[in-house]
Amino acid sequence: MVEGSMTQGAGQGPEVERAATLRDFRVPAYVNETGPYAHGTQPAETVRPPEEAPAVPAAPAAPGTPGTPGAPGEGYPAAYTPTERDLPVIKRGDTLQAAVDPVSAPTRQSATRPGPLYVVGDVHGYLDQLVAALQEKGLVDSAGQWCAGTARLWFLGDFTDRGPDGIGVIDLVMRLSAEAAAAGGYCKALMGNHELLLLGAKRFGDTPVNSGAGTATFQAAWLLNGGQKSDMDRLQDHHLQWMARLDAVEAVDGYLLVHSDTTSYLDYGASIEEVNDTVRETLTRNDANEVWDLFRKFTKRFSFRDEGGADAVRSLLDTYGGTRIVHGHSPIPYLLGEVGSEDGEESAGPVVEGPHVYADGLAIAMDGGVTMAGKLLVQQLPLGN
């Protein structure tokens, strides 16, 4: 079994020596069901910001473009335009004075004030539940269109596998990224271990890799951990490019955002920029063993849960900044020791009401366990808003 992980590959194709395997979390019996969003909006239908729109806050990078949220130019508000009055009016007797409504005139403070911050836990192909959760928070309307203005939305990774429509989820996130940018907000995403798994399965298939516990393949690991044939059949180049460009770590409003509750990020750099660059460079080199090692490390979990967990969180905060870490990956029922039934028997399932705060209050877990009849979490930060 892969060290520190709950994910393991088993062989398919030519007979080779395989490592012992263990299923990560159960795959629900209804994973092959499809919902009304099965055919997600294609990129050609995405809403693009108008080229000559009135002054709006500067839009962040397009979906899948690496980098952190853009900041306005030094000394200027995000909505600054050289055609807008930016200098005092000198009162002279020979000058006609035009009245300016102080209410309608935008102020420097209001133009640069960021919108509310939201984070989304693991989705794993549950498109209907995602749309419902976003609607409940007022982020999308009844048609699934962005309606939150300047709000900022971060997905913490793991869009596919286990659930019925992972590609539909990716299409939705890509579309919301364009719509949010046009409205002056943003919708961005982090890379989860299942994005690495899907990329590896598509790129390397049954190519044997050294798993550290024998021989494994990405294809076998993907199938073992809920890979859906319908997702692979609909996977296109623009999906692959988008996933490969996702950041692994980000810092927003004092929160350090990551997918996995592991300290393995420290292996890839001493700064957020260095980690993200190293991950992208690894994927660009396209070496199966290197990508497997990246996947293996990002699959580790529970580093913040047990004795010494708070110190593990502090090691990341001290390195990358922030006062709290926000992560997905490990379902809250597992962090609490409340696992759902895996034998197919009827059960009420784990009760998840919201994020789980632990590790001396330094960690916020956001995976509500939607794959085990838990809850898909969308949460505004700070908690309590």
Side-chain angles (χ1 to χ4, degrees):
M1 183 173 179
V2 178
E3 177 187 354
S5 80
M6 302 181 69
T7 309
Q8 176 68 28
Q12 290 193 359
E15 291 294 325
V16 294
E17 180 184 356
R18 304 296 185 197
T21 61
L22 176 64
R23 186 180 300 275
D24 191 345
F25 297 125
R26 70 183 179 88
V27 181
Y30 50 91
V31 292
N32 293 315
E33 295 178 2
T34 58
Y37 302 92
H39 302 287
T41 303
Q42 296 302 314
E45 301 171 336
T46 56
V47 179
R48 299 297 180 189
E51 295 182 359
E52 297 182 10
V56 296
T65 302
T68 57
E74 182 178 356
Y76 295 99
Y80 169 75
T81 169
T83 63
E84 183 179 4
R85 181 182 302 176
D86 197 37
L87 296 172
V89 176
I90 301 176
K91 293 183 180 296
R92 292 177 49 183
D94 59 349
T95 303
L96 178 63
Q97 302 298 318
V100 178
D101 182 357
V103 175
S104 60
T107 64
R108 188 179 302 271
Q109 181 180 11
S110 63
T112 58
R113 180 181 300 146
L117 175 64
Y118 293 83
V119 289
V120 185
D122 298 33
V123 182
H124 282 300
Y126 286 86
L127 180 59
D128 291 349
Q129 288 86 336
L130 172 60
V131 172
L134 293 173
Q135 288 174 339
E136 181 181 352
K137 295 295 184 179
L139 295 168
V140 302
D141 60 22
S142 59
Q145 308 291 319
W146 180 266
C147 65
T150 61
R152 299 166 296 158
L153 179 63
W154 274 99
F155 285 81
L156 299 178
D158 276 10
F159 303 100
T160 66
D161 303 339
R162 302 199 180 104
D165 195 1
I167 298 302
V169 170
I170 292 177
D171 284 337
L172 174 64
V173 176
M174 293 177 69
R175 174 169 61 79
L176 291 180
S177 296
E179 294 175 357
Y186 67 67
C187 169
K188 297 188 178 185
L190 294 180
M191 178 177 291
N193 60 305
H194 279 262
E195 280 69 68
L196 290 168
L197 184 57
L198 182 56
L199 283 167
K202 180 66 174 180
R203 290 182 180 185
F204 308 116
D206 282 320
T207 301
V209 295
N210 183 4
S211 71
T215 302
T217 72
F218 272 106
Q219 177 73 9
W222 175 70
L223 290 171
L224 188 66
N225 288 279
Q228 302 296 299
K229 183 179 183 299
S230 59
D231 283 345
M232 187 63 77
D233 290 343
R234 295 163 59 201
L235 187 63
Q236 300 180 39
D237 286 345
H238 65 271
H239 298 129
L240 294 167
Q241 293 169 6
W242 181 80
M243 287 189 292
R245 293 171 181 168
L246 294 175
D247 285 336
V249 187
E250 275 298 344
V252 186
D253 292 0
Y255 296 97
L256 184 65
L257 308 182
V258 297
H259 172 70
S260 304
D261 46 326
T262 177
T263 58
S264 293
Y265 295 96
L266 297 170
D267 296 341
Y268 292 93
S271 69
I272 290 175
E273 293 77 10
E274 188 177 350
V275 172
N276 292 333
D277 287 346
T278 301
V279 170
R280 273 189 288 271
E281 289 165 3
T282 300
L283 292 173
T284 300
R285 283 193 295 271
N286 208 36
D287 179 271
N289 285 302
E290 271 194 293
V291 177
W292 178 269
D293 192 56
L294 182 64
F295 161 67
R296 178 181 67 86
K297 289 183 176 179
F298 279 18
T299 303
K300 293 181 178 181
R301 63 177 83 245
F302 301 144
S303 295
F304 313 150
R305 184 185 64 176
D306 301 320
E307 184 177 356
D311 290 335
V313 175
R314 290 187 184 97
S315 69
L316 290 168
L317 296 177
D318 290 344
T319 302
Y320 304 126
T323 58
R324 265 182 164 181
I325 196 165
V326 184
H327 70 85
H329 190 46
S330 291
I332 292 172
Y334 276 78
L335 291 171
L336 297 175
E338 302 170 357
V339 296
S341 172
E342 295 188 354
D343 55 12
E345 296 180 358
E346 293 293 329
S347 67
V351 178
V352 177
E353 298 296 340
H356 174 51
V357 180
Y358 67 115
D360 292 350
L362 297 175
I364 302 174
M366 281 294 301
D367 184 351
V370 65
T371 64
M372 56 183 71
K375 185 177 182 179
L376 199 159
L377 296 179
V378 178
Q379 178 65 45
Q380 184 177 355
L381 298 175
L383 297 177
N385 283 342

